[in-house]
């Protein structure tokens, strides 16, 4: 038996920060599932593949490997926006979900556990996860946090980019962002990083 900690929520709510904290605390590796979708988006941008062409995207999705995740350019919000568009296709989700699941199980077997964050970790990737956390924060707070994070890295973020992405991620037909019935919700709007992390740890 391995422990799987599944963390879902919209962009900028604090999933990554909480996941990294728990990873340090519990000594379980952390997998950012959004990176798989960003890596595909990056390939689609480079190859000029239209975002609605599922057939062409399938080949690119098959080619996504762990090496593709190590790329600072994936952090750009423009890549995230494309990721949100190319991730609506059911077959693309199936291909990338299989890659995430097998990688997670491979590393969990070595470490006794794994932490994943994304949009559908608790509902689709690992519906039987040991602990499920749903991280939220109000839209203004999330926009502000993402803006600060991007400015620190010298990157740009378009006004309203986050809410456009959230709407798409929540309304797509295949595995939309939603809270699993057995997930614990943490609203980080008025919490400091330390408070949010402590609360997350209290559910484990
Ligand atoms: O977590 P992130 O911001 O890196 O995710 C980028 C996009 O990838 C997100 O807007 C939608 C998609 N995504 C997804 O559909 N399912 C996941 N488990 C993770 C990300």
């Amino acid at each position: 038996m391995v422990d799987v900690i599944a963390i879902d929520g919209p962009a900028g709510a604090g999933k990554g920060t909480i996941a990294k904290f728990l990873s340090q605390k519990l000594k379980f590796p952390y997998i950012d599932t959004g990176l798989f979708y960003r890596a595909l988006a990056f390939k689609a941008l480079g190859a000029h593949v239209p975002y609605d062409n599922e057939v062409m995207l399938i080949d690119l999705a098959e080619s996504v490997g762990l090496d593709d995740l190590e790329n600072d350019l994936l952090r750009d919000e423009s890549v995230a926006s494309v990721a949100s568009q190319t991730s609506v296709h059911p077959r693309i989700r199936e291909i990338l979900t299989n890659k995430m699941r097998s990688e997670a199980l491979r590393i969990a077997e070595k470490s006794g556990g794994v932490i994943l964050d994304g949009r559908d970790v608790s509902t689709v990737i690992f519906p039987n996860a040991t602990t499920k956390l749903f991280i939220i924060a109000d839209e203004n707070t999330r926009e502000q946090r993402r803006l600060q994070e991007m400015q620190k890295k010298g990157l740009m973020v378009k006004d309203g980019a986050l809410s456009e992405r959230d709407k798409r991620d929540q309304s797509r037909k295949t595995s939309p962002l939603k809270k699993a019935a057995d997930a614990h919700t943490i609203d980080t709007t008025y919490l400091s990083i330390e408070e949010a992390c402590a609360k997350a740890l209290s559910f484990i």
Side-chain angles (χ1 to χ4, degrees):
M1 256 295 278
V2 292
D3 279 326
V4 176
I5 317 274
I7 308 177
D8 290 305
K15 300 186 297 289
T17 305
I18 291 176
K20 282 178 207 140
F21 165 81
L22 291 177
S23 167
Q24 272 199 338
K25 199 89 192 160
L26 305 171
K27 310 265 182 297
F28 292 163
Y30 159 49
I31 297 181
D32 172 355
T33 65
L35 281 182
F36 287 74
Y37 289 101
R38 286 175 186 246
L40 167 64
F42 191 71
K43 282 178 186 264
L45 277 162
H48 302 287
V49 170
Y51 313 146
D52 58 354
N53 190 331
E54 185 171 19
V55 175
M56 285 178 83
L57 289 170
I58 284 174
D59 279 346
L60 290 184
E62 303 268 21
S63 77
V64 169
L66 296 180
D67 288 350
D68 293 313
L69 313 183
E70 317 260 327
N71 178 355
D72 281 345
L73 298 174
L74 302 186
R75 301 282 164 198
D76 202 287
E77 190 54 40
S78 62
V79 177
S81 164
V82 175
S84 166
Q85 296 171 67
T86 48
S87 64
V88 301
H89 306 293
R91 184 75 188 111
I92 298 299
R93 300 200 67 82
E94 195 182 322
I95 293 166
L96 295 183
T97 294
N98 284 338
K99 287 182 194 274
M100 293 163 197
R101 212 181 266 136
S102 55
E103 175 58 8
L105 291 173
R106 187 183 70 80
I107 59 177
E109 254 150 51
K110 281 197 208 151
S111 331
V114 63
I115 297 167
L116 299 98
D117 80 356
R119 304 291 182 290
D120 60 344
V121 183
S122 343
T123 51
V124 176
I125 311 177
F126 285 107
N128 297 322
T130 328
T131 307
K132 299 181 180 182
L133 302 175
F134 194 67
I135 316 297
I136 55 168
D138 76 29
E139 195 172 300
N140 268 346
T141 307
R142 295 190 292 105
E143 291 264 10
Q144 281 311 312
R145 284 181 190 160
R146 193 44 61 98
L147 193 69
Q148 279 173 8
E149 195 184 313
M150 292 292 149
Q151 277 171 346
K152 252 195 239 159
K153 293 180 185 156
L155 298 169
M156 300 276 288
V157 52
K158 234 180 40 203
D159 237 14
L162 224 62
S163 65
E164 200 180 302
R165 194 145 74 86
D166 284 343
K167 271 185 211 122
R168 195 182 299 112
D169 295 345
Q170 282 162 12
S171 61
R172 65 173 175 239
K173 285 203 184 86
T174 313
S175 46
L177 165 66
K178 67 170 185 227
K179 180 184 175 296
D182 51 350
H184 304 283
T185 299
I186 303 177
D187 183 342
T188 65
T189 310
Y190 301 107
L191 298 182
S192 66
I193 291 180
E194 292 73 24
E195 286 167 336
C197 290
K199 193 149 196 183
L201 193 59
S202 76
F203 289 121
I204 293 174

